[in-house]
Amino acid sequence: MAATALAVVVGIAIPTAPAIQAGLQQASRQESILPANIGEGIPSGEAILLDFPGPMDRSAVATALGLSPATDVSLRWNVDGSVLTLIPAPRWAVDERYVVHVPAGTPMADGRGLAADWRASFTTQAAPQVVRLRVDGVADTSSELPVIRQEVMASTGAPDAGTSALSDDLSADASAGTRIGLTFSTAMTAAATEQAFRISPSAAGSLSWEGTTLWFTPNGRLSAGTRYTVTVAGARDVGGNLLGGDTSFSFTTRELALAITVAPGIGQRGVSAAASVQISFSQPMEIAQTGAAFTLTDAASGRAVVGAVAWSTDAKVMTFDPTAALGAGRAYAASLGPTARDLDGNPVTISWRFTTVGPASVASPVPAFPGSSDMAQYALNQVNAARAAYGFAPLVLDATISAVAYGHAADMAAYGYFSHTSRTGVTYRQRLTAGGVSYGHSGENICYLGGASVQATLNWCHAQFMAEPYPGGGNHKDNILSPNYRRLGIGIATGGGRVYVVWDFTD
């Protein structure tokens, strides 16, 4: 390996002693036990020169020379043997302090020995690092979330799945249509760095460079409400130095907007013929696309209802006002098609039916049940929005099943336990049967959250459920998206600073 053109020259004289006549001659006492500093931030591929007072016994120096920490080096001498070059093989470690030691008495070519121990130190260059993570579309999220205990459980008739504590997510709010940039402190080897790049969950995309910034551009949109981790461990700079410092970074994409409430309600009967149709969203919407995607039709004739769309100032509430009164005693289908988008570009779909009041109408609204009916409707809309996104029919809120669900939620809240099985050993299926519910297929999700409102609890629980794999072999998301279910009961109760929620699914 040839030495580079640049080198660090040691400018400290190495003292000599008179020629040894017999026996050993004691070296003169050193003035300091600290090594002299001969350089800082030495490039990892540079050679170090030791300038001796005269020609040395080369084999003796090779034997006596000390280097700490131990590193493979090549020794190169000048013609007369007075200058020794230390060449790292292949390079010095970065962010390291080295000490070179030549002991007293080391023979010179003329028989004399060095009069004293000689030590010198040098430090090597800093390792390359990622100095900036850039995620297009990230909002400032400097406020901290409260530390709360969070647990979820699901059941589809199998044994209890057990509890799991999940930490709060304080990651940045990144757009699902973003690109990710990593800026390095120095020029990197493009091939090695691109080879080291990983993103999890996996996302197909392309890599490109702008100066020392490596950009990852996904081929499509990233998944909404998902935490991604980017890793470049093993990347090297153009000098061959391994990347130091933090090599793994994470960010979380924004939650997918949901239609959280609708009016008239899903399956509602006895609706006024003069009613408007309203959808409330969890995130601001792209009003032009979303308004154009909404339709209201007579369910029997398929005839579209003519009307005008208006929006709230925060773009979260859409209202459709029919031009003329709706027909009496008619069923109507409201639908938000696949071209509806939130401001981040995520699709949002929902469809439901309602029936207007009329002389022939004998239907009545869903009876009230213990707990918050508004929040039960909110929870039902979350489930049906998720089902619509996967192409499944909506579920109907059932008062009898809801009474069973509320009984279990209230019991857990009152006695501070968390299980699909009650304190007396009754399973959810036995509770349904005892409550007068006939069914073939059934399932149950339960969840609680401490230190939060009912709506915040429903939002958190639903987000945890929908983040699970699908199909999941009997998890919460399988219950929500099962084609076997037609009815849903929801029970909400509070106690001990916690909100308990029970979802009971049946066919």
Side-chain angles (χ1 to χ4, degrees):
M1 175 179 177
T4 57
L6 298 177
V8 177
V9 179
V10 178
I12 298 178
I14 301 178
T16 61
I20 300 175
Q21 299 299 319
L24 298 175
Q25 181 172 342
Q26 185 176 2
S28 61
R29 185 174 182 274
Q30 300 178 71
E31 295 181 0
S32 171
I33 62 173
L34 297 177
N37 186 2
I38 60 173
E40 296 181 355
I42 304 301
S44 62
E46 295 299 329
I48 302 296
L49 272 61
L50 304 182
D51 191 2
F52 291 93
M56 298 297 294
D57 183 326
R58 301 184 185 191
S59 61
V61 172
T63 301
L65 181 69
L67 178 62
S68 178
T71 301
D72 290 336
V73 295
S74 298
L75 305 182
R76 297 285 180 86
W77 290 91
N78 67 344
V79 176
D80 69 357
S82 62
V83 178
L84 173 61
T85 302
L86 305 183
I87 304 171
R91 61 184 58 84
W92 307 111
V94 292
D95 288 322
E96 187 63 82
R97 179 178 181 268
Y98 285 92
V99 175
V100 181
H101 175 218
V102 181
T106 299
M108 299 180 68
D110 61 6
R112 292 180 300 161
L114 298 181
D117 279 355
W118 177 84
R119 288 180 175 84
S121 68
F122 62 94
T123 59
T124 55
Q125 68 181 80
Q129 295 185 346
V130 175
V131 295
R132 185 182 182 191
L133 169 66
R134 298 170 63 181
V135 183
D136 284 359
V138 175
D140 181 13
T141 55
S142 57
S143 59
E144 292 188 355
L145 298 177
V147 177
I148 49 182
R149 182 169 175 77
Q150 309 161 352
E151 296 193 31
V152 294
M153 292 182 68
S155 177
T156 54
D160 288 354
T163 61
S164 60
L166 302 174
S167 61
D168 297 321
D169 186 357
L170 302 178
S171 300
D173 178 31
S175 168
T178 192
R179 64 173 185 159
I180 302 99
L182 297 173
T183 300
F184 299 90
S185 59
T186 188
M188 303 295 289
T189 301
T193 305
E194 292 173 16
Q195 182 68 27
F197 182 90
R198 297 287 186 276
I199 183 167
S200 178
S202 179
S206 59
L207 295 169
S208 60
W209 289 89
E210 293 178 7
T212 60
T213 299
L214 174 63
W215 285 101
F216 172 73
T217 304
N219 289 345
R221 297 183 59 78
L222 298 177
S223 298
T226 302
R227 182 167 185 153
Y228 285 88
T229 300
V230 174
T231 303
V232 282
R236 294 182 181 274
D237 66 13
V238 292
N241 300 302
L242 192 65
L243 184 68
D246 292 334
T247 59
S248 183
F249 311 89
S250 64
F251 62 93
T252 300
T253 53
R254 296 183 187 125
E255 291 290 341
L256 175 73
L258 295 173
I260 54 177
T261 61
V262 294
I266 297 174
Q268 185 175 343
R269 296 178 180 272
V271 176
S272 169
S276 299
V277 179
Q278 189 174 86
I279 307 176
S280 297
F281 300 92
S282 60
Q283 305 283 349
M285 301 295 293
E286 205 295 315
I287 61 176
Q289 281 186 266
T290 305
F294 178 79
T295 58
L296 180 64
T297 58
D298 185 301
S301 68
R303 182 178 302 141
V305 176
V306 179
V309 172
W311 286 87
S312 62
T313 55
D314 62 1
K316 289 185 177 182
V317 180
M318 187 196 79
T319 302
F320 176 80
D321 290 310
T323 302
L326 301 176
R330 305 289 293 179
Y332 286 89
S335 176
L336 195 61
T339 58
R341 293 287 187 273
D342 62 19
L343 280 185
D344 198 34
N346 299 303
V348 182
T349 59
I350 186 173
S351 60
W352 77 101
R353 294 191 178 200
F354 62 88
T355 304
T356 56
V357 66
S361 176
V362 296
S364 60
V366 175
F369 61 92
S372 171
S373 59
D374 288 343
M375 289 296 97
Q377 180 68 46
Y378 183 95
L380 175 66
N381 291 342
Q382 288 179 315
V383 170
N384 282 336
R387 291 176 65 87
Y390 282 79
F392 295 115
L395 303 183
V396 175
L397 191 62
D398 187 285
T400 302
I401 301 173
S402 293
V404 174
Y406 174 75
H408 187 51
D411 195 58
M412 290 191 292
Y415 292 95
Y417 69 97
F418 185 64
S419 174
H420 290 290
T421 303
S422 70
R423 295 175 298 112
T424 56
V426 178
T427 67
Y428 80 91
R429 287 184 171 183
Q430 291 170 330
R431 290 193 295 272
L432 289 170
T433 300
V437 179
S438 299
Y439 62 90
H441 297 280
S442 65
E444 181 175 82
N445 288 351
I446 62 176
C447 177
Y448 79 80
L449 189 63
S453 67
V454 173
Q455 183 170 331
T457 299
L458 290 172
N459 288 342
W460 182 85
C461 293
H462 186 72
Q464 304 310 306
F465 296 162
M466 295 309 296
E468 294 173 346
Y470 177 76
N475 60 17
H476 309 88
K477 194 170 183 178
D478 282 340
N479 276 342
I480 292 172
L481 301 179
S482 173
N484 296 323
Y485 299 146
R486 296 186 299 106
R487 296 178 292 166
L488 175 62
I490 298 171
I492 303 170
T494 60
R498 298 171 174 174
V499 177
Y500 291 82
V501 187
V502 177
W503 296 259
D504 282 331
F505 302 82
T506 70
D507 51 10

